[in-house]
Amino acid sequence: MKRKLITIGIVLLLMCAFAFSAYKLMNARNYQLFGNITSHVDTQEKVVALTFDDGPTDKTDAILALLEDYQVKATFFLIGQDIEKHPEEAKKIAVAGHQIGNHTYSHKRMVLKSPSFIKNEIEKTDALIASIGYQQTPFVRPPYGKKLIGFPHYLHKHQRETITWNLEPDTFFTKAEEKINYVKENIQPGSIILMHPMYDHTDNELQAIEGILQTLIDEGYTFVTIEELLQYQK
Ligand SMILES: [Zn+2]
């Protein structure tokens, strides 16, 4: 009886350890089981990539105008079903010369999903991105940064880059001022900043973006796309 209890205890402990490891793996920004994943680039050069997740939405014009004012090219990880809803906005992003990434079709967590589901999420969105006139093969960013086995395996098999981030002001702060200070304090050459302006109806996020652009330009940083940033990898 005692031995049986010990065995059950050990099994439970191992299950907990496994669940914890899987959780860490699912959320890791710079590690996955298969293929390349990039959360930042190791460089001494003061370069930084600004990335926007989700959309396009009716916020696109305001975001593009702000980037135009600062002469900055950014990277937009677009959702397939949002491209279907706002194809004109998606085209404007491509025409303005920004980089476009694939953020899946439905923006579901790409964890514990079948290979055919994952394939469809990526390929349907690839086709939508191609349909707006964007020529390159898009880099991919998993929704919520979550991935486990199937998602990275598909991307590795198809030689696609997974891009995450190392600075996420929206996760920790709500006020523009706080987001700007967080980026100012934590910025390092080669950083990838994640922002979410597409569903923000307060303009708070646009103010945060403008503040980040101004602050980092004042500090001598140059904003580049993800593709340009990867060229700086040592
Ligand atoms: Zn997202």
Side-chain angles (χ1 to χ4, degrees):
M1 184 63 188
K2 199 173 173 192
R3 184 167 289 177
K4 202 173 174 190
L5 278 178
I6 291 171
T7 308
I8 291 170
I10 289 171
V11 168
L12 281 176
L13 209 66
L14 284 173
M15 281 168 71
C16 284
F18 178 75
F20 181 71
S21 307
Y23 180 78
K24 295 282 273 188
L25 183 62
M26 176 178 78
N27 289 299
R29 300 279 177 260
N30 51 12
Y31 178 76
Q32 63 187 8
L33 289 178
F34 309 98
N36 271 351
I37 182 166
T38 302
S39 64
H40 67 282
V41 158
D42 290 318
T43 175
Q44 312 285 342
E45 304 288 326
K46 288 185 128 182
V47 285
V48 54
L50 187 55
T51 69
F52 303 117
D53 273 15
D54 311 336
T57 64
D58 55 8
K59 271 271 160 186
T60 305
D61 284 344
I63 299 161
L64 290 178
L66 181 59
L67 294 173
E68 171 88 45
D69 281 352
Y70 283 82
Q71 295 284 298
V72 159
K73 295 284 183 254
T75 304
F76 291 75
F77 287 91
L78 301 181
I79 299 172
Q81 62 187 15
D82 284 356
I83 299 175
E84 283 177 340
K85 278 183 228 156
H86 300 276
E88 291 309 315
E89 274 70 17
K91 270 182 211 152
K92 285 181 199 167
I93 297 170
V95 167
H98 298 287
Q99 191 176 348
I100 293 179
N102 182 326
H103 198 38
T104 74
Y105 179 76
S106 67
H107 203 262
K108 294 198 173 79
R109 283 175 165 75
M110 293 294 138
V111 173
L112 306 178
K113 297 284 193 292
S114 71
S116 65
F117 180 89
I118 289 167
K119 178 177 156 56
N120 190 42
E121 285 281 319
I122 298 293
E123 293 181 6
K124 208 166 160 185
T125 307
D126 279 347
L128 284 159
I129 290 172
S131 78
I132 57 165
Y134 189 77
Q135 309 284 343
Q136 293 154 266
T137 305
F139 292 158
V140 179
R141 177 175 279 170
Y144 314 100
K146 295 195 191 299
K147 71 268 164 299
L148 206 51
I149 296 168
F151 194 71
H153 185 256
Y154 172 88
L155 297 179
H156 177 55
K157 208 168 78 185
H158 294 86
Q159 291 157 355
R160 305 284 293 266
E161 290 275 342
T162 309
I163 306 295
T164 55
W165 57 85
N166 65 333
L167 292 177
E168 45 185 320
D170 300 341
T171 306
F172 309 116
F173 302 103
T174 46
K175 288 190 192 137
E177 207 53 43
E178 295 170 329
K179 292 180 188 185
I180 298 162
N181 284 336
Y182 158 84
V183 171
K184 191 178 176 177
E185 280 162 21
N186 293 286
I187 188 74
Q188 283 179 346
S191 288
I192 299 176
I193 304 173
L194 162 64
M195 307 284 295
H196 298 86
M198 286 291 181
Y199 307 120
D200 173 54
H201 296 292
T202 62
D203 283 347
N204 178 57
E205 191 71 347
L206 281 179
Q207 285 167 24
I209 293 167
E210 179 154 25
I212 288 166
L213 288 168
Q214 191 61 62
T215 303
L216 295 186
I217 289 168
D218 289 348
E219 300 220 343
Y221 275 90
T222 302
F223 284 89
V224 295
T225 63
I226 291 292
E227 188 164 39
E228 290 165 340
L229 189 74
L230 293 180
Q231 308 299 318
Y232 289 86
Q233 185 76 273
K234 274 189 268 179

